[in-house]
Amino acid sequence: MKFEDLHVGLPVLIAEGHGSGYGGKQGVVMGVGESATLDKKQVIKGASVEIGGTFLVLVEAEFLDPVPDEDLPPGWAEVEV
């Protein structure tokens, strides 16, 4: 995914094999930006992704894919509770 396409609230899927150990998990983008390592030799452009309301992981943009919209089966509706 392109860095420019990331925005807060976007549901995303982390690519399998990501170094964080959360590959294959779905989450929601909570923040977008750049982060540098302590020695400032590497700059990561990506997003902070919340997984299941518990984990917050920094993931590079190229390891994120948007979650496709899933249509509900006939007779089902989504409501706020």
Side-chain angles (χ1 to χ4, degrees), residues 38-81:
L38 291 176
D39 59 3
K40 296 187 172 106
K41 290 185 178 182
Q42 182 182 12
V43 175
I44 298 171
K45 291 178 75 172
S48 297
V49 178
E50 180 185 51
I51 302 170
T54 309
F55 304 107
L56 196 62
V57 180
L58 180 62
V59 182
E60 300 87 342
E62 60 266 15
F63 287 101
L64 295 172
D65 292 313
V67 174
D69 291 334
E70 294 182 15
D71 294 329
L72 294 173
W76 287 86
E78 192 171 313
V79 295
E80 292 289 327
V81 177

